[in-house]
Amino acid sequence: MHYRPTRARINLPAILHNYRQASHLAPKARQVAVIKADAYGHGAVEVAKYLAPHVPAFAVAFIDEALLLRSAGIQKPVLILEGVNSAEELKLAQQSDLWPMLHSANQVDGLLKSDGLDDLQCWLKVDTGMHRLGLNPVEAQSWADKLGRKLNKKPVLASHFSCAEEFHSETNKHQMQQLFALAAHLDCEVSLANSAALYTLPGAAVGWNRPGIMLYGCSPIPGKTAAEMGLQVAMQVTSQIIALRDIEAGETVGYNGRWQASQKSRIATLAIGYADGYPRLTNSSSEVYLHGQRAQVVGTVSMDMLAVDVSHLPQAAIGDEVEIWGQHIPVTEVAGHANTIGYELLTRINQRMPRIYQHD
């Protein structure tokens, strides 16, 4: 039982709809559902259970996230995007049908020196320009040959776009050319397209794709709304008004008096703050939604509370539900007012914020 009136409502059918949209964009490829970072704040176990009948595999960041899925009864293969770093992790990967994405000579060498891994499905990360993780194409070719002789399956060659959201990036073309040339030479499958690339680079959407943020109803392309991209919002964060007060012109609201009323105003206090994932550094252009209208966030965001100017909503009352982000206030919009991205706000959702799941 949760008594505080702040919730994250998770629409699981919307996530499935968005997964099917990814499949529609690349019908000849397979889509790995990326559920790292607790399914981008939506709850990895619940999301995985709902999607499991519909997906060939999931992807997480590291092995702890994968083992959590296994302990919850999720049996589909799980790709580990950061690979494994010890013989113990390799053994767990083999036992639990986990697919490590190897990104360094140390990781590959560790696998080659281990026994009993003949049936392990591994992926090989190729650095084609992101310069974050991965072997350069020459190194990758050498290691892929050795892995092919060691294992019963050739590795999947994977890379990551640095500018996937850009429709006409020469960098993207160069990255595609490098990976596809290497894959053709080694006769290996590829994995290159993320959410943005599924829209901007259909030529890259082959083999295994890795849709992530789009599964949760967020547009991966700046300037494009989720609805324009055929996506449904999966998370609605709501709170309630817990206090109302009238202030005079010239009075301030919140810590350090950052916001000053230019006229007599009515201020609503909401039961949500930066400890719940709402960005403290949001500017005074951020808004919430109640009674069919938007209302401006005012003053410094507190740990547990948020102030909103409801002067234009005389019907506003204590107990009224307020959308913080969701159908009417896109999370990407809130993030933009804090100079960040929707990914960050979604993944800030923690155990303090109860999740309510919609299954139908």
Side-chain angles (χ1 to χ4, degrees):
M1 183 68 180
H2 300 281
Y3 296 99
R4 187 168 182 246
T6 303
R7 302 282 186 271
R9 294 185 174 91
I10 310 300
N11 186 330
L12 294 171
I15 297 175
L16 177 57
H17 166 89
N18 298 334
Y19 178 82
R20 286 174 170 160
Q21 175 68 1
S23 299
H24 173 73
L25 292 168
K28 295 182 180 180
R30 286 165 289 181
Q31 323 301 325
V32 178
V34 180
I35 57 171
K36 63 179 180 176
D38 205 16
Y40 292 56
H42 293 69
V45 170
E46 290 293 335
V47 170
K49 286 181 177 179
Y50 196 82
L51 291 184
H54 310 280
V55 307
F58 295 105
V60 297
F62 46 88
I63 196 166
D64 304 71
E65 292 184 327
L67 294 175
L68 176 65
L69 297 178
R70 289 290 182 260
S71 68
I74 306 301
Q75 297 301 315
K76 285 292 174 75
V78 181
L79 172 64
I80 305 173
L81 296 170
E82 294 180 6
V84 292
N85 298 294
S86 69
E88 181 182 1
E89 288 184 44
L90 272 173
K91 184 177 180 181
L92 285 170
Q94 170 78 335
Q95 292 172 343
S96 303
D97 194 19
L98 308 179
W99 299 350
M101 185 183 289
L102 310 175
H103 61 77
S104 70
N106 286 340
Q107 287 185 337
V108 183
D109 189 52
L111 186 152
L112 293 174
K113 292 178 178 177
S114 300
D115 296 322
L117 302 176
D118 295 355
D119 294 324
L120 183 68
Q121 172 67 72
C122 72
W123 292 37
L124 195 62
K125 186 68 169 284
V126 185
D127 182 8
T128 58
M130 182 73 169
H131 300 325
R132 186 178 61 180
L133 291 177
L135 301 153
N136 68 49
V138 174
E139 293 173 323
Q141 178 176 333
S142 174
W143 287 115
D145 284 334
K146 295 174 183 177
L147 285 170
R149 291 192 293 270
K150 170 77 173 181
L151 306 175
N152 291 329
K153 301 175 184 177
K154 291 185 178 182
V156 176
L157 300 183
S159 195
H160 195 72
F161 285 117
S162 60
C163 308
E165 71 279 4
E166 299 177 14
F167 281 86
H168 305 292
S169 167
E170 290 299 318
T171 299
N172 291 336
K173 295 177 183 178
H174 179 63
Q175 289 190 258
M176 286 176 60
Q177 290 169 355
Q178 288 188 86
L179 190 69
F180 287 172
L182 182 61
H185 177 72
L186 296 171
D187 191 26
C188 291
E189 286 192 286
V190 300
S191 176
L192 186 54
N194 58 3
S195 293
L198 282 167
Y199 289 94
T200 62
L201 296 159
V206 297
W208 291 91
N209 300 320
R210 307 187 306 272
I213 192 65
M214 69 177 291
L215 300 183
Y216 309 102
C218 287
S219 167
I221 310 296
K224 293 280 189 180
T225 67
E228 288 173 335
M229 307 191 82
L231 303 175
Q232 296 179 3
V233 174
M235 178 190 290
Q236 182 193 41
V237 172
T238 62
S239 188
Q240 287 184 10
I241 296 175
I242 59 172
L244 284 164
R245 71 195 61 252
D246 296 312
I247 64 173
E248 300 295 329
E251 291 189 300
T252 63
V253 173
Y255 288 116
N256 307 119
R258 274 182 55 194
W259 185 85
Q260 185 177 47
S262 60
Q263 58 188 8
K264 187 172 182 177
S265 303
R266 197 165 202 224
I267 304 300
T269 300
L270 312 182
I272 188 169
Y274 61 77
D276 304 293
Y278 197 88
R280 184 179 181 276
L281 295 179
T282 188
N283 61 40
S284 58
S285 297
S286 194
E287 296 175 319
V288 298
Y289 186 85
L290 70 160
H291 290 295
Q293 296 187 55
R294 287 173 171 243
Q296 182 184 355
V297 174
V298 298
T300 302
V301 177
S302 301
M303 181 180 291
D304 313 304
M305 288 171 282
L306 189 67
V308 176
D309 184 355
V310 293
S311 303
H312 61 303
L313 297 169
Q315 70 272 47
I318 291 174
D320 285 351
E321 184 172 272
V322 181
E323 180 183 286
I324 308 303
W325 67 67
Q327 297 290 341
H328 304 95
I329 306 288
V331 67
T332 51
E333 177 185 319
V334 179
H337 292 309
N339 195 31
T340 186
I341 57 177
Y343 298 68
E344 182 176 355
L345 299 196
L346 293 176
T347 57
R348 283 182 179 182
I349 298 298
N350 55 39
Q351 296 305 311
R352 178 168 142 139
M353 174 87 73
R355 299 189 189 103
I356 309 300
Y357 289 96
Q358 175 185 338
H359 289 81
D360 309 300

